[in-house]
Amino acid sequence: MKETIAAARENHDIPCLNYSLSWLYQFGQAHPEEMTEIQKKGVLGSEKEAIAFLKARTKESNMWTLLSTTLLSEAKLILTKGESVSQAFESVVKASHINVTRGILEACGRQLVMQSTMYDRLGVGCQARTYSELFLLCYTSHTPSEDVIQSQCGSAHKMSRIGQYEEALMRMEEIDQEALRTLRYQQHWITNLGILKLRKHFHKDELDECELLLSQLKAAPFETPDSQFDVSVLEVHIRIRRREYSGALALLEKILAGLDKQEADIFQRLKMMILKARIYDHAGMPQKGFSIVLRAASLAHKALLLPVLWEAVGTICRILVSVKEFDAAVKLLEGILPQATECEDCELAAYLFSCLADGHMGYAGQAKEGSLPQKERLTKTLEALERAFEEYSKIEDIRGQCEMLAKKATIMHLNGDTVLANDVAAQYLDIKEAANVKQ
């Protein structure tokens, strides 16, 4: 490709030069570890310089399709670096204008995928899903197979986050089998299918099946950094569930070092920072992660990564509960929960409702025994636990459901509601027994 660029410059072949540089830039996005030498030699320069150069040259050459793609790449770069979201929207609107005025149907699909990604990062799950479905309904016949497969995989992952596992697997099966005859597309499809199954087994607490799937996924090379990151995060969560906290922390540090080396997406780096604080929480040292999660929350707020921000705030509230600052924790959580539930992420919503229940319970513990404020707080605790249980039930998270039911039964027993406490305890045992039978 470097020879192609050199030959195009020598022969003043502008279309070939533009396409070659665009290909090299896209290659760098998919395989950042391979770009170190190329950047040192100055073939493309920095990412921003490459984008600016491509925008100028494609506009001069009236290469509208390539200009639209370059503008979308610019939007993706802005989001990856955590810069102004309004600038990213501006680039997408410019690309949309070019697609409409020049009738470039093949670029409309990629534009809708980018818009879906942007709304997903802003925590507007319904809007993100709408753009994704719109693309699959209207533009698949005009769009390259690669974009269609990536969109279908992304749509399946969105379904899995709200517990629609069967629908997600059906969406994966809808992918054109002819397109999967290409090895790269088939590997991408197999990897994403494996991640969906891994997430389902993880929530059902089938950890032996998870280990088997992990070994299969890690045996083959990952097609995209996003797939590798998803598998790594799930691997850390599996180690946490096995109570292997030192192993989980060592793996997380290794992943973080790789992300820093590749200058990875800010979303990925912040997720790992929050996960590190949550490991400390699981290990019984929540305060040790306070500075980490506070920095993550600050960066997420600046980059408008709202789902990440809500998770960071939830982790901060866990720390506040550990130091008996119950009122502050409850106020924070009640302030963010209406927006957090719009993310269409059941695991996140369940985590936040669980934190809210802990805050109310701590507040009730400080109130006078048998007083009205204590009863009110216990009632609110039960309501939060019920909401957390509902969210865990949607994604079939066995451990989360059992934890919420155990807390409910304990509170009901303290309130003197023995009959209700026994009913909840029976429900707990039924879920446990059903999970053991399936395993």
Side-chain angles (χ1 to χ4, degrees):
M1 185 53 66
K2 287 191 288 185
E3 290 179 4
T4 303
I5 292 170
R9 281 175 171 166
E10 185 178 344
N11 297 316
H12 302 288
D13 189 342
I14 302 302
C16 178
L17 177 62
N18 290 340
Y19 276 116
S20 301
L21 291 172
S22 178
W23 183 94
L24 192 61
Y25 176 79
Q26 298 297 336
F27 175 82
Q29 294 297 298
H31 305 281
E33 71 280 357
E34 303 290 341
M35 292 297 290
T36 306
E37 184 182 349
I38 294 173
Q39 288 176 344
K40 285 180 180 177
K41 292 184 177 179
V43 177
L44 271 180
S46 68
E47 291 178 323
K48 288 185 178 180
E49 290 171 352
I51 290 288
F53 177 80
L54 285 170
K55 280 168 61 179
R57 299 304 293 269
T58 50
K59 192 171 183 179
E60 289 172 6
S61 309
N62 294 332
M63 300 174 71
W64 303 114
T65 303
L66 194 56
L67 177 58
S68 174
T69 304
T70 303
L71 286 166
L72 294 174
S73 297
E74 182 181 39
K76 184 178 180 181
L77 178 63
I78 290 169
L79 293 178
T80 300
K81 299 296 183 184
E83 297 174 1
S84 172
V85 176
S86 59
Q87 289 182 4
F89 268 107
E90 183 182 347
S91 296
V92 171
V93 170
K94 287 179 180 178
S96 177
H97 176 73
I98 292 169
N99 294 340
V100 172
T101 55
R102 304 291 173 176
I104 307 171
L105 290 177
E106 60 268 25
C108 288
R110 185 170 293 184
Q111 170 210 323
L112 289 171
V113 170
M114 176 54 64
Q115 287 176 293
S116 176
T117 302
M118 293 172 74
Y119 280 110
D120 200 24
R121 292 165 77 105
L122 287 170
V124 190
C126 179
Q127 194 78 356
R129 187 159 42 83
T130 300
Y131 276 110
S132 182
E133 294 297 326
L134 181 63
F135 166 44
L136 295 174
L137 284 171
C138 302
Y139 292 99
T140 51
S141 58
H142 306 288
T143 308
S145 298
E146 181 178 7
D147 292 338
V148 176
I149 292 171
Q150 287 183 353
S151 179
Q152 286 180 302
C153 291
S155 176
H157 284 298
K158 288 181 178 69
M159 290 176 177
S160 72
R161 290 193 319 209
I162 55 175
Q164 296 178 351
Y165 297 119
E166 296 304 320
E167 292 85 348
L169 293 175
M170 286 175 62
R171 176 57 54 86
M172 294 295 288
E173 294 298 332
E174 290 173 2
I175 293 175
D176 184 15
Q177 295 300 311
E178 286 296 315
L180 295 179
R181 294 176 65 181
T182 303
L183 178 61
R184 186 161 63 89
Y185 300 161
Q186 187 184 49
Q187 287 177 338
H188 184 71
W189 178 77
I190 290 172
T191 301
N192 281 275
L193 187 62
I195 292 171
L196 287 172
K197 291 181 178 179
L198 179 61
R199 187 176 289 121
K200 182 180 179 181
H201 286 305
F202 171 75
H203 287 307
K204 291 191 173 185
D205 213 29
E206 299 168 349
L207 299 184
D208 291 336
E209 287 83 349
C210 289
E211 294 290 353
L212 179 60
L213 274 169
L214 267 178
S215 62
Q216 293 174 349
L217 285 168
K218 291 165 70 176
F222 293 101
E223 280 299 308
T224 63
D226 291 340
S227 298
Q228 184 175 7
F229 176 75
D230 289 339
V231 172
S232 299
V233 169
L234 283 167
E235 186 176 4
V236 173
H237 277 294
I238 290 166
R239 294 200 180 186
I240 292 171
R241 284 224 166 163
R242 290 191 182 277
R243 301 183 185 276
E244 299 173 0
Y245 302 127
S246 58
L249 198 58
L251 178 60
L252 186 142
E253 293 290 355
K254 183 180 177 182
I255 297 166
L256 270 174
L259 293 176
D260 291 338
K261 185 178 179 182
Q262 296 174 8
E263 296 183 358
D265 189 346
I266 188 173
F267 170 83
Q268 297 178 356
R269 296 203 299 273
L270 295 181
K271 285 288 284 186
M272 298 311 289
M273 290 169 68
I274 295 169
L275 188 53
K276 186 175 183 178
R278 291 183 67 175
I279 291 173
Y280 286 130
D281 183 27
H282 284 288
M285 302 179 291
Q287 297 166 41
K288 195 171 180 180
F290 182 71
S291 60
I292 300 170
V293 73
L294 197 63
R295 182 165 175 262
S298 174
L299 292 171
H301 180 263
K302 182 181 177 182
L304 287 182
L305 285 170
L306 297 189
V308 179
L309 176 60
W310 306 147
E311 185 180 0
V313 171
T315 308
I316 290 170
C317 291
R318 291 278 301 174
I319 298 168
L320 290 174
V321 168
S322 72
V323 295
K324 300 184 179 180
E325 291 289 343
F326 305 116
D327 188 39
V330 167
K331 286 180 179 178
L332 272 173
L333 288 164
E334 288 180 341
I336 68 169
L337 268 166
Q339 284 183 276
T341 51
E342 293 180 5
C343 296
E344 295 194 350
D345 186 340
C346 291
E347 188 175 9
L348 173 62
Y351 175 65
L352 294 176
F353 277 117
S354 174
C355 294
L356 180 62
D358 290 342
H360 280 306
M361 191 63 194
Y363 211 107
Q366 291 182 335
K368 187 178 179 181
E369 184 72 27
S371 64
L372 182 61
Q374 186 185 57
K375 291 180 180 179
E376 289 177 351
R377 289 292 175 175
L378 288 175
T379 302
K380 289 181 178 180
T381 302
L382 289 172
E383 290 173 357
L385 288 172
E386 182 61 30
R387 289 295 304 272
F389 175 77
E390 289 173 2
E391 297 295 336
Y392 279 128
S393 299
K394 290 177 185 176
I395 55 175
E396 301 176 31
D397 192 301
I398 302 299
R399 192 166 295 195
Q401 290 179 72
C402 290
E403 185 183 345
M404 297 305 106
L405 288 175
K407 289 180 179 180
K408 279 182 68 177
T410 303
I411 294 170
M412 289 173 176
H413 182 74
L414 290 172
N415 282 340
D417 300 329
T418 310
V419 177
L420 290 175
N422 289 336
D423 290 343
V424 172
Q427 188 180 0
Y428 173 94
L429 292 173
D430 289 342
I431 292 173
K432 275 283 188 183
E433 185 178 349
N436 291 331
V437 168
K438 288 180 181 179
Q439 291 179 13

